[in-house]
Amino acid sequence: MSGLQPFIRLGAAVLLAGCLAGTPPAGAKTAAPARLFAERWIDGTNGAEPATQVQALDADTFVIRQSVHSNFEAPFLYLLFGRDKVLLIDSGADGGQIVPTIDRLIAEWLIAHKRSAIPLIVAHSHSHGDHIAADAAFAKRPDTVVVGLKPADVAAFFGIDPWPGDVATFDLGGRALSILATPGHQAAAIMVYDPQLKLLISGDTLYPGRLYIPVNFLDDNRKSIDRLAAFAKRHPIRAVLGAHIEMTRTPGRDYAHEAASHPDEHALELPAAAIAELRQGLTARLDVPDQGQVHDHFIIMPVGARAE
């Protein structure tokens, strides 16, 4: 995105140069949750940095970030172990070195548990290219299943019936996850709720950044967030963890598209209250591509119609 683009903040028009907000007008504020991660995420600001960074939430839960130096998307991936199998959510963007990182984490987990093997399932928050780049490499890996990319593939694998209204249970062995179909950003989008840590893994549907919604999928997105809000009322959510960070710590201010570094980066975590804020924001028309609605911790950004 470049040039002057009209953004909307809770109904008030704001002009932005590029995609970087100036001084955001006053609006509803959503307090950030307590920080979950001990280390600062690699953000491209300190010269050389590793291809991936791993932070553990507990002995069975790992969050992986791909370096922005390898791909401007710098996506986050999630590795969740159960007794019987391990789930990887997303396989990263082009340029990543994801397979060696996942192999190392699994090998270390097996040693710690005095095990010789555990099956790996590679699923996706959605099927855009920056979340599926290592699929082909994982497909060659022994004892590994890569879930398909179409809504029908995702629905069949997790048992989401009907799609998208059902919430499926996917048990890793002593760790039963909830799988929510959330089409809107993309047709096969899902979220994963982990009741063990009370975390919602939300992909590109909700994260500190620009929440791109094709105008022809606005209705799908609104319905998905309505269902998500109803789910959130019944399930405690400690934090929402998305697939990117595109916002600074300054309320309403994002980075330029394809930024090579992320100085003063927003936390990955969003509070559960962000779900209600997104739902309220989606009540606006939002039918003009590239005219965004700026919130403190995310920007709702309608884009042109897409096939899926």
Side-chain angles (χ1 to χ4, degrees):
M1 288 175 282
S2 61
L4 288 175
Q5 295 184 11
F7 277 39
I8 298 175
R9 181 184 177 90
L10 303 178
V14 184
L15 290 179
L16 291 91
C19 63
L20 187 64
T23 303
K29 299 200 180 290
T30 301
R35 293 295 292 265
L36 295 178
F37 302 100
E39 300 176 12
R40 193 183 86 181
W41 288 107
I42 52 175
D43 58 11
T45 62
N46 289 321
E49 64 183 32
T52 60
Q53 178 187 9
V54 178
Q55 296 202 58
L57 290 172
D58 65 13
D60 297 320
T61 311
F62 301 87
V63 184
I64 303 103
R65 190 183 203 179
Q66 182 176 335
S67 171
V68 69
H69 290 170
S70 66
N71 193 290
F72 74 90
E73 298 282 7
F76 289 85
L77 295 72
Y78 298 87
L79 189 69
L80 287 67
F81 286 87
R83 181 182 59 250
D84 302 327
K85 46 186 171 276
V86 54
L87 174 67
L88 174 64
I89 302 171
D90 291 339
S91 69
D94 286 338
Q97 297 180 28
I98 303 304
V99 175
T101 299
I102 300 305
D103 283 346
R104 174 177 61 81
L105 290 170
I106 292 175
E108 291 172 351
W109 187 92
L110 290 171
I111 291 170
H113 291 79
K114 297 179 173 59
R115 299 267 298 276
S116 60
I118 187 169
L120 171 66
I121 296 97
V122 180
H124 313 90
S125 62
H126 61 295
S127 62
H128 286 158
D130 53 317
H131 302 269
I132 65 170
D135 278 13
F138 277 113
K140 300 174 184 176
R141 185 183 183 276
D143 213 8
T144 300
V145 172
V146 179
V147 179
L149 302 179
K150 300 294 185 182
D153 300 326
V154 180
F157 183 85
F158 288 111
I160 303 173
D161 184 21
W163 174 280
D166 186 32
V167 176
T169 298
F170 188 67
D171 194 350
L172 300 178
R175 189 175 192 178
L177 308 173
S178 294
I179 311 297
L180 296 79
T182 54
H185 172 72
Q186 194 275 332
I190 61 171
M191 292 188 184
V192 178
Y193 175 71
D194 176 23
Q196 179 171 300
L197 296 183
K198 299 179 175 58
L199 297 176
L200 179 71
I201 299 171
S202 55
D204 280 12
T205 300
L206 180 56
Y207 67 100
R210 296 177 293 276
L211 310 181
Y212 296 109
I213 309 170
V215 292
N216 55 320
F217 293 147
L218 273 168
D219 187 56
D220 289 340
N221 192 272
R222 288 172 175 134
K223 290 176 180 176
S224 290
I225 302 307
D226 284 347
R227 291 191 302 273
L228 175 62
F231 180 89
K233 288 182 179 179
R234 304 189 303 271
H235 300 82
I237 296 174
R238 180 183 179 194
V240 178
L241 300 177
H244 304 278
I245 300 174
E246 295 171 350
M247 304 295 286
T248 71
R249 287 187 292 174
T250 300
R253 186 182 294 271
D254 61 346
Y255 297 105
H257 183 56
E258 300 191 17
S261 63
H262 289 185
D264 194 37
E265 191 175 64
H266 194 290
L268 174 62
E269 306 93 306
L270 287 176
I275 297 168
E277 185 174 349
L278 174 58
R279 187 186 186 202
Q280 179 60 37
L282 288 170
T283 61
R285 284 186 59 179
L286 298 168
D287 56 354
V288 180
D290 301 324
Q291 183 167 293
Q293 183 192 89
V294 180
H295 296 248
D296 284 353
H297 304 288
F298 57 82
I299 298 168
I300 303 174
M301 177 57 65
V303 295
R306 295 176 178 171
E308 59 179 14

